[in-house]
Amino acid sequence: MGNAEIAQTLESYAALLDLAGAGYYTVRAYRRAAELVRETRTPVAELVRNGRVRELRGIGPGIERRLQELVATGRLAELEELEQEVEPQLVALARYVGLSAQRLVAVGKELGIRTADELRAAAAAGRLREVKGIGPSTEQKILAGLERGRTRARRGLLLNRARALAAAIAGELDGEVAGEVRRWRDVVHELAVVTTTPPDLQSSPLLVAVVEPGVAVTVEGIPVEITVAEPHAFGTALLRATGSPAYVDSLGELPAAATEEEVYAQLGRSWVAPELREGPVDDPPRLVEVADIRGDLHAHTTWSDGKSSVAEMAAAAIERGYEYLAICDHTPNVRVVPGLDADALRRQAEEIAAVNERVAPFRVLRGTECDIRRDGELDLPDDVLAELDWVQLSLHAGQRDDEVRLTRKVCEAMRHPAVRCLSHPKGRIINHRPPNALNLEAMIEVALETGVAIETNGLPDRLDLRDEEVRLCVEAGVPIVCSTDAHSVRGLGNMQLSVATARRGWATPADVLNTRPLEEILRR
């Protein structure tokens, strides 16, 4: 059993646990285990057989037991039981049409309905009203939801989850990922795959319901549009399925071609990166790439709320080809996690110095994610801030302040001579907390005045600054920092999300500060 198959099984198990009402952290553990297995180069089945799978960070005893069962038997008994208990097809359809899962599952059990076609027929015949609590308006809502073709889920998927899911589906269908995922949108409401092989949608464990020809639904209620193309026109279909309608319409009539490059050539246009295919594009620049990044300027360790040591984070950064890594653990004002005061930062400096002796010429930078306190003051004394190589400024308290007070507080903190960068400025948590009221134009003015860079944070539930805000900074000439805010070795992989967000904001290598050598970083 290969890693992809094991990861897919864990992913399905996590989804069904979610539907069955399992705890948030349990579901998250299995989803993270699925990602870990998918990314691991060593065959995980061999690690399981040799009793070494716990060496993978994040695999605990419960997950180990299920991996042992899966490798030994090729199946998970609990997964099969859950498939019978929670009616994943009906839960997916409920989320797709905008009903509560409990209500539609109850309808399905009472009327013997399991598929979209059966649900559509029952609604059209007025049978749904036989179920207590289902009236004409709900019936019409179901019919409208099933008949409107491509629909947008009310609550989208985070980009990392959407990319993993889309890649798994594309792998099953022997196709390529398109749509919002390929454009690296921060929140994904629908998936798209292009293939040359007519798929059997009923056989995919990831596609739990088919709502119409070519459109299936995941257990999260996310629609997946599957396009089947002839090989000689695959590039045309991929381009059409990737770009927004506005972008595709701007190209005019598309010629049939096997690759996207051939389509653009026949149109007499330059190839456009998928991240920019939201609207009409002329003369796109050479966008920043992950390969351009020389170092990560925002990472955490076990000194604060991280899961890896300074040495482990440095080794992982070296493996990625970086020249430097800034350790920016929290300061005490955060309170909900351990924070470093002046004494702790100086003790940490000794550890960083010892690591630097071993890893030179690579450099671990002494940094901090320094909080702005409610009174607007920074959370560390001036003399300590002056010792550091890199000071990230962050706001964790008072984010719900009004625009005037919040903007004044942040802008004054940015004027501190030790500050080099402002972290996740808008403070949003996707699907949980809206952006704060910080006036971005005022912040940009102060950044230009002080030379402070602005971060686009690679945590999947932040991606802050977002694409449109990155473009405002780029157009103004404010340097962007692509950082991961990594709290583990694996978290360093979020650089791809940060860079993709910067690319959507039209950032070139020259616009991104950490494409530059260490000497230039230290001179700022």
Side-chain angles (χ1 to χ4, degrees):
M1 180 173 279
N3 288 4
E5 188 177 356
I6 292 173
Q8 180 180 301
T9 303
L10 292 176
E11 195 72 71
S12 299
Y13 186 58
L16 291 173
L17 284 173
D18 189 10
L19 299 179
Y24 168 78
Y25 292 103
T26 299
V27 174
R28 185 177 68 170
Y30 278 95
R31 285 198 169 130
R32 287 184 171 178
E35 293 174 13
L36 177 61
V37 169
R38 191 175 285 114
E39 296 169 358
T40 299
R41 298 173 185 174
T42 305
V44 170
E46 290 185 13
L47 295 178
V48 172
R49 294 189 191 99
N50 295 332
R52 297 177 52 210
V53 73
R54 295 279 294 280
E55 294 176 11
L56 299 177
R57 190 181 296 270
I59 302 296
I63 296 176
E64 180 185 27
R65 284 195 299 272
R66 283 158 184 83
L67 288 173
Q68 289 169 341
E69 178 188 356
L70 183 59
V71 170
T73 68
R75 54 189 285 268
L76 281 181
E78 287 181 73
L79 174 61
E80 294 173 1
E81 292 171 7
L82 283 170
E83 287 174 338
Q84 297 301 315
E85 291 175 7
V86 301
E87 298 285 356
Q89 303 98 317
L90 292 175
V91 173
L93 289 172
R95 292 173 171 177
Y96 180 72
V97 301
L99 290 181
S100 73
Q102 294 87 344
R103 173 171 286 193
L104 198 56
V105 168
V107 170
K109 288 182 177 179
E110 186 162 337
L111 299 181
I113 292 170
R114 293 180 63 86
T115 69
D117 286 342
E118 291 171 351
L119 179 62
R120 187 182 289 110
R127 291 184 58 221
L128 299 187
R129 277 176 273 172
E130 298 172 12
V131 180
K132 185 179 180 180
I134 302 293
S137 61
T138 302
E139 191 173 70
Q140 286 304 310
K141 182 178 183 179
I142 291 171
L143 277 171
L146 291 171
E147 297 300 336
R148 63 178 173 248
R150 291 177 66 189
T151 188
R152 292 175 64 83
R154 290 179 301 167
R155 185 181 178 91
L157 296 177
L158 296 181
L159 179 56
N160 63 330
R161 164 72 178 144
R163 284 187 60 78
L165 184 57
I169 293 170
E172 284 186 348
L173 304 181
D174 194 24
E176 288 195 31
V177 173
E180 294 179 340
V181 169
R182 190 166 178 238
R183 298 202 306 274
W184 295 80
R185 289 184 63 91
D186 51 1
V187 182
V188 175
H189 293 87
E190 57 190 15
L191 306 180
V193 173
V194 180
T195 181
T196 57
T197 305
D200 178 8
L201 300 183
Q202 303 287 353
S203 66
S204 169
L206 298 175
L207 303 174
V208 298
V210 179
V211 294
E212 60 182 74
V215 179
V217 183
T218 71
V219 75
E220 296 90 347
I222 301 294
V224 185
E225 184 176 27
I226 296 98
T227 301
V228 180
E230 295 293 333
H232 73 278
F234 182 84
T236 308
L238 182 61
L239 194 158
R240 185 175 285 115
T242 294
S244 71
Y247 175 75
V248 174
D249 289 346
S250 74
L251 298 178
E253 186 174 351
L254 301 182
T259 68
E260 284 189 334
E261 288 78 6
E262 291 175 25
V263 177
Y264 282 109
Q266 291 185 45
L267 291 172
R269 291 172 174 259
S270 300
W271 187 83
V272 173
E275 294 94 325
L276 298 186
R277 300 182 197 174
E278 294 289 351
V281 177
D282 293 316
D283 300 320
R286 203 285 259 183
L287 301 176
V288 64
E289 299 175 0
V290 172
D292 296 317
I293 301 298
R294 292 179 179 237
D296 194 333
L297 290 171
H298 188 173
H300 295 268
T301 71
T302 50
W303 279 84
S304 178
D305 58 338
K307 297 180 180 178
S308 305
S309 68
V310 172
E312 289 170 331
M313 295 297 284
I318 291 169
E319 188 174 343
R320 290 181 177 274
Y322 292 161
E323 299 171 20
Y324 48 87
L325 174 73
I327 301 301
C328 297
D329 282 316
H330 290 289
T331 54
N333 189 64
V334 178
R335 294 194 177 94
V336 294
V337 301
L340 279 66
D341 59 13
D343 289 341
L345 270 172
R346 285 167 174 151
R347 292 197 307 273
Q348 186 187 60
E350 297 173 4
E351 182 175 325
I352 289 175
V355 171
N356 276 332
E357 285 186 10
R358 299 196 301 269
V359 299
F362 180 86
R363 174 80 174 270
V364 179
L365 303 181
R366 284 188 66 202
T368 182
E369 183 177 1
C370 184
D371 243 39
I372 306 172
R373 298 201 300 253
R374 285 189 178 274
D375 61 6
E377 295 297 317
L378 299 194
D379 200 28
L380 288 170
D382 288 354
D383 61 331
V384 176
L385 292 171
E387 296 175 6
L388 302 176
D389 301 312
W390 184 258
V391 175
Q392 291 267 122
L393 192 65
S394 285
L395 185 73
H396 292 99
Q399 294 202 66
R400 300 279 69 85
D401 282 352
D402 63 71
E403 179 180 327
V404 172
R405 182 177 178 185
L406 183 65
T407 301
R408 181 175 61 246
K409 184 163 57 176
V410 171
C411 288
E412 284 304 311
M414 290 172 66
R415 290 191 171 94
H416 191 287
V419 172
R420 298 291 177 262
C421 181
L422 177 62
S423 300
H424 43 73
K426 298 291 285 184
R428 70 167 180 171
I429 303 294
I430 299 172
N431 287 335
H432 289 281
R433 186 172 72 204
N436 60 40
L438 179 66
N439 184 312
L440 197 62
E441 288 75 14
M443 183 201 72
I444 286 174
E445 289 182 12
V446 176
L448 290 171
E449 169 196 328
T450 60
V452 170
I454 308 298
E455 177 187 73
T456 179
N457 186 292
L459 287 176
D461 56 354
R462 284 196 184 273
L463 301 183
D464 173 19
L465 293 176
R466 58 170 302 181
D467 49 9
E468 296 169 355
E469 297 157 346
V470 169
R471 189 163 188 184
L472 289 176
C473 290
V474 166
E475 290 174 345
V478 173
I480 295 296
V481 171
C482 288
S483 296
T484 63
D485 200 349
H487 286 65
S488 67
V489 165
R490 289 184 62 234
L492 293 172
N494 287 332
M495 184 60 75
Q496 190 176 37
L497 301 182
S498 177
V499 168
T501 303
R503 286 168 62 87
R504 285 177 58 83
W506 291 66
T508 70
D511 298 315
V512 177
L513 186 63
N514 50 321
T515 63
R516 304 175 192 176
L518 176 61
E519 295 75 21
E520 190 168 342
I521 300 295
L522 295 177
R523 284 200 303 268
R524 288 187 63 79

